[in-house]
Amino acid sequence: MMKPVNGFSKLSKKEKIDWLAETYLKEQPEDVRILRQYWNEDSRLQQLHDEFTENTLSNFYFPFGLAPNFLINDELLAIPMTIEESSVIAAASKAAKFWHSRGGFKAEVLDIKKIGQVHFIYSGDFKKLQSFFEEVKPKLLNAVKPITKNMEKRGGGILDVTLKNKNQALENYYQLHCSFDTRDSMGANFINSCLEKFAEVFEAEAHTYQPFSEKEKQLEIIMSILSNYVPQCLVRAEVSCPVENLAEGHEMSGTDFAEKFIQAVKIAEIEPYRAVTHNKGIMNGVDAVVLATGNDFRAVEAGVHAFAARNGKYSSLSHAEVKDGIFKFWIDLPLALGTVGGLTSLHPLVKLALDILQQPSAEELMKIVAVAGLAQNFAAVRSLVTTGIQQGHMKMHLMNILNQQNATEAEKLALTNYFTKHTVTHSSVIEQLEKLRK
Ligand code: MEV
């Protein structure tokens, strides 16, 4: 059996690669060349990327693209997107153009509250715990002053700290439930630093609190951490237009299209199997902008899906209706985003993405991301209820198949032309390519 490696992180990059080549890639020496091929020739830029994480061996490229023509609250924006899925940017751009001539997207931030919790166990009288909490709360808030000072200058800070009794669900379990306004930063470090300070002071004070019995004084902190569930950091994006204006790009009347579209959304509202895919389409847009702007897409994903299941059943994030002849399609999304701190000033492409978006505040970015999600969802559902999804998908996929087959530029041109009139399937592309090559 192979032995575990010790001190791997302390090896130089070259040594790490040598170890990898020796241990796992003996049969594929060309793989090591690929690692080097993806290094940036600008050594300072490479070092910057190396230092984002530990044990970096190389870079992993994703396309960085642009979806133009997004009219959002009457401002025309081009949205940078980082995504590998071939049809996403095309779909977003198409939806942007469609809604541009119908008044564009409207978006508003409904709330900006973020949550963090100190989880602790306490075995004793809850009333005593409540009195202790009331007494110690000013001390907690005072203890974090050095951390909150700058955030308060920017208009943010701690909004509230409450004591929560979770003893019914888990024996002896209680929380300090804290809410924060972190302004333009995602705020993870700020929130976690505040929570850890609360925890330290709270536990120390409990150990010497006279009214507590010896057992009660043993109050013990389990952990202190922000929550990625942010249902009160919420943004709404919507589009609307008279039903008859929906008759474009397909053969249905506006009314028929609206009916079928709304039916598709209703299915996603009540059927989890469909809801997950429906929401995946939304996340195609959301994640692409979240990534391009250097935000934490894992946090966003976790929070959004929890929100989609908030009523006890996983459901659609978007909704649609017709009222008085007006079609309306909207989405509410919980999004904890930042436009300062983190990667935003470090990663050159993130900086560029934020420049393209005209240096948005976190609230503006929330609106943009929600709009990208809604646009993506509109494009996907529109395809699904009209032509079907494969037509557009396979057209975009054609280039991937051609690249896999190392097609030349001339071959690509010939086959792209051919497939404007024929259905793309993997085997039909290979067949046509072989014919061409003969
Ligand atoms: C594919 O990435 C996304 C879709 O499946 C979304 C949907 O079904 O609504 C097309």
Side-chain angles (χ1 to χ4, degrees), residues 168-187:
Q168 292 294 320
L170 184 64
E171 203 182 351
N172 298 338
Y173 168 42
Y174 300 85
Q175 300 169 350
L176 296 182
H177 189 89
C178 316
S179 49
F180 302 85
D181 172 353
T182 64
R183 294 286 96 196
D184 287 333
S185 66
M186 192 258 187

Side-chain angles (χ1 to χ4, degrees), residues 105 147 170 207 209 229 274 372 415:
F105 295 82
I147 309 170
L170 184 64
H207 290 174
Y209 185 61
Y229 185 43
R274 173 57 201 150
L415 289 179

Side-chain angles (χ1 to χ4, degrees), residues 85 87-88 274 277-282 284 377 380-381 384 389 393:
E85 190 173 324
S87 54
V88 168
R274 173 57 201 150
T277 319
H278 180 93
N279 290 348
K280 189 273 183 185
I282 292 168
N284 276 343
N377 191 212
V381 176
L384 286 168
I389 208 75
H393 259 210

Side-chain angles (χ1 to χ4, degrees), residues 111-126:
D111 206 348
I112 43 95
K113 220 177 272 164
K114 291 165 188 168
I115 302 298
Q117 297 165 315
V118 176
H119 306 268
F120 64 95
I121 47 174
Y122 163 82
S123 157
D125 179 30
F126 181 55

